Amino acid sequence: MSAPHDLAIRGGTIVTASDRFRADLGIRDGVITDIASRIEGAKEEIDATGLMVLPGGIDAHVHLAQPTSDGTVMADDFASGTRSAAAGGNTTVLPFAMQVKGTSLRDCVTAYHAQAEGQCYTDVSFHLVISDPTPQVLGQELPALVRDGYTSFKVFMTYDDLVLNDAELLEVFEVARRERALVMVHAEGHDAIKHMTRRLEEQGKTAPYYHAEAHHQIAEREATHRAISHAQLTDVPVMIVHVSGRDPMEQIQWAQKRGMKVHAETCPQYIALTRDDLKGLNMDFEGAKYVCSPPPRDIDSQNAIWEGLRDGTFEVFSSDHCPFFFEGSDGTGKDNPRARTSFKWVPNGIPGVETRLPILFSEGVSKGRITLERFAALTSTNPAKLYGLYPQKGALVIGADADITLWDPAREEVITQERLHHGSDYTPYEGMQIKGWPVRTILRGQTIVLDGVVLGAKGFGAYQTRGTSGAMA
Ligand SMILES: [Zn+2]
């Protein structure tokens, strides 16, 4: 007879990336210590009868408290962003420590840690963003940071203050290969977007809707193929993030069929929204609530994304949570004097860290498009593997952190701004009907959210140093 458990989760159905089975889970000191048909004598018990017991959600793509080029303040800091994440069934999030051009990457990472310290409700770990690949950054700072556990970083093929040219991309890819870091690519063709933007503005087409035309799927397809080609030339695995539609997805499949190590991520906005949402009520600023890059596409692309989620083209489903305010002169809406002159000034990004899992569960699992096992893989196990957190995170096995989300597959809810915990003053998913809801979030054995009520303490969420990406194996 083993020592008593601190906590037993009893009577539920355990779901992993590969299996589902009826068993009890025993937890001691924040770690899973037993999985058995019957566990008795724990200090505390949770009755999970009728519930699904899944690995806690890992959102591998969120933006919190990031500096912006125009000084726009993001709607979430670490406290509100991770509180919102926890309420949405997540136990770990990975935001980006962004290098501000002209500054030291290491200093940016240190400053970002200071912002997170003592503020988090979920566990966190940082990707890096490389915006200024100087010899100092590529030769010294980045290699040292990778060795310290920052084993993934993002680069951008667009945005004036972030874009890397092809020569820079190739150099950065070489560093990723040498240091065994996973490089994440925002693939949209910068010059094509700028050209389209100019032409649209000349025609007086400045409403938020035209963001979706300027950031055309063809520009995303071209950049996706270019990133894949650069990765092939430098022989390095890449992760193409936030893939929006059929065209870029086909480029990824083209590479995967040829055995290239091209990984891909997609997001809720590409299965739950279309470009028509950017029209708002009558080509008005309500459409600004849906401005993100890449933008949502059309029904054909939604169908394509579902195929990719089913067949394994996409291994990761993240939110790309990038929260702004809608109201106010600093917001994305009509009160922002610059945004009124052109869609190109509308801050790019939508909130979604709290709605990611319910949307995929409802639209995917409840509607029979993906299995529960695939859901667990896409939202927790695969990101843990690809970002060096596995098997401490993303796995329900003995010895793993007891990061667990209990789901009621029958519970029906409606997404409303009122019930969410994020900092933004709106949700792009207002009124969406959901079947299947996270009813309890457990982080390292502690219930941090129960029935939408946040019980966890600010600061219980801890920074997680990561190992090498599974993509480098
Ligand atoms: Zn991006």
Side-chain angles (χ1 to χ4, degrees):
M1 183 82 200
S2 59
H5 298 285
D6 298 334
L7 174 67
I9 299 173
R10 302 194 53 191
T13 299
I14 295 178
V15 179
T16 72
S18 56
D19 301 288
R20 83 179 79 174
F21 50 95
R22 242 292 304 126
D24 293 354
L25 264 176
I27 294 158
R28 194 167 52 235
D29 297 330
V31 170
I32 296 171
T33 44
D34 206 357
I35 301 171
S37 55
R38 202 171 168 81
I39 293 174
E40 293 184 73
K43 287 179 209 154
E44 185 196 342
E45 283 193 4
I46 293 170
D47 179 7
T49 306
L51 303 180
M52 302 290 171
V53 180
L54 272 84
I58 298 174
D59 196 335
H61 193 150
V62 306
H63 301 276
L64 304 174
Q66 238 173 247
T68 56
S69 56
D70 60 0
T72 305
V73 177
M74 293 192 101
D76 274 317
D77 56 16
F78 278 92
S80 64
T82 58
R83 188 181 62 204
S84 180
N90 299 284
T91 49
T92 301
V93 299
L94 286 93
F96 294 83
M98 163 123 123
Q99 181 195 18
V100 178
K101 243 178 198 158
T103 65
S104 142
L105 181 57
R106 174 68 77 172
D107 289 351
C108 295
V109 172
T110 304
Y112 207 48
H113 272 289
Q115 285 185 273
E117 184 65 40
Q119 298 296 305
C120 296
Y121 289 85
T122 64
D123 284 353
V124 295
S125 190
F126 301 163
H127 306 291
L128 308 174
V129 171
I130 311 299
S131 64
D132 198 3
T134 62
Q136 163 78 13
V137 166
L138 295 189
Q140 291 166 38
E141 291 195 45
L142 184 54
L145 284 161
V146 174
R147 282 193 284 275
D148 287 348
Y150 304 89
T151 52
S152 52
F153 59 84
K154 187 177 179 191
V155 292
F156 288 79
M157 296 173 77
T158 188
Y159 294 132
D160 284 330
D161 51 335
L162 294 169
V163 60
L164 303 190
N165 63 35
D166 288 337
E168 290 171 327
L169 287 170
L170 285 158
E171 272 195 72
V172 168
F173 282 19
E174 282 177 348
V175 176
R177 174 184 155 80
R178 196 175 66 227
E179 303 300 331
R180 305 184 74 232
L182 181 60
V183 57
M184 310 160 74
V185 184
H186 178 128
E188 287 191 288
H190 189 55
D191 288 347
I193 291 168
K194 284 218 297 201
H195 175 85
M196 297 290 285
T197 299
R198 264 194 309 273
R199 287 289 174 268
L200 288 161
E201 285 177 340
E202 280 166 12
Q203 296 163 42
K205 294 176 172 172
T206 59
Y209 170 74
Y210 295 104
H211 169 82
E213 289 202 5
H215 286 247
H216 204 282
Q217 190 169 182
I218 294 171
E220 184 184 351
R221 182 192 73 197
E222 178 277 323
T224 300
H225 188 87
R226 185 150 42 97
I228 290 166
S229 300
H230 292 351
Q232 189 180 13
L233 278 172
T234 50
D235 189 25
V236 70
V238 281
M239 165 66 75
I240 309 293
V241 293
H242 48 51
V243 176
S244 74
R246 186 179 293 281
D247 285 4
M249 186 183 83
E250 284 175 353
Q251 300 302 308
I252 290 158
Q253 291 171 331
W254 177 90
Q256 289 174 343
K257 274 192 204 112
R258 284 160 179 75
M260 288 178 231
K261 289 182 182 168
V262 175
H263 304 272
E265 171 201 80
T266 190
C267 313
Q269 48 270 38
Y270 309 122
I271 54 169
L273 302 174
T274 69
R275 76 164 69 88
D276 284 349
D277 287 305
L278 276 81
K279 290 179 176 166
L281 301 174
N282 183 22
M283 292 299 269
D284 64 359
F285 264 87
E286 282 296 304
K289 291 180 175 174
Y290 309 90
V291 169
C292 57
S293 290
R297 306 298 183 186
D298 54 17
I299 297 297
D300 175 61
S301 273
Q302 287 188 355
N303 292 334
I305 297 294
W306 281 116
E307 288 164 26
L309 287 167
R310 262 196 303 275
D311 70 16
T313 304
F314 298 110
E315 291 163 272
V316 179
F317 187 84
S318 310
S319 67
D320 193 10
H321 178 75
C322 189
F324 294 105
F325 297 104
F326 179 67
E327 308 281 350
S329 58
D330 208 23
T332 62
K334 61 181 179 338
D335 307 336
N336 178 333
R338 279 215 303 177
R340 262 204 314 266
T341 67
S342 169
F343 59 85
K344 78 179 175 201
W345 300 115
V346 175
N348 283 198
I350 58 176
V353 73
E354 192 168 344
T355 45
R356 170 186 76 125
L357 295 171
I359 288 172
L360 187 65
F361 196 103
S362 184
E363 292 295 307
V365 178
S366 300
K367 293 192 176 169
R369 290 172 166 131
I370 59 170
T371 64
L372 257 176
E373 290 84 351
R374 176 73 70 182
F375 175 86
L378 286 162
T379 60
S380 180
T381 307
N382 290 347
K385 288 179 175 174
L386 285 164
Y387 297 115
L389 289 162
Y390 188 83
Q392 188 195 340
K393 305 289 191 191
L396 297 182
V397 296
I398 289 171
D401 282 357
D403 294 354
I404 296 159
T405 304
L406 303 185
W407 285 82
D408 182 347
R411 185 150 155 185
E412 296 188 31
E413 296 286 354
V414 177
I415 294 175
T416 59
Q417 165 64 12
E418 213 169 67
R419 72 180 308 153
L420 299 179
H421 299 74
H422 61 201
S424 291
D425 51 0
Y426 74 99
T427 167
Y429 306 106
E430 186 72 36
M432 190 170 176
Q433 313 265 348
I434 298 290
K435 185 174 181 194
W437 197 255
V439 292
R440 187 191 283 258
T441 312
I442 299 167
L443 174 62
R444 288 180 273 107
Q446 303 290 318
T447 293
I448 57 171
V449 179
L450 179 60
D451 265 324
V453 178
V454 178
L455 303 175
K458 185 158 81 173
F460 180 62
Y463 188 82
Q464 304 293 312
T465 300
R466 292 181 290 125
T468 303
S469 164
M472 311 308 288

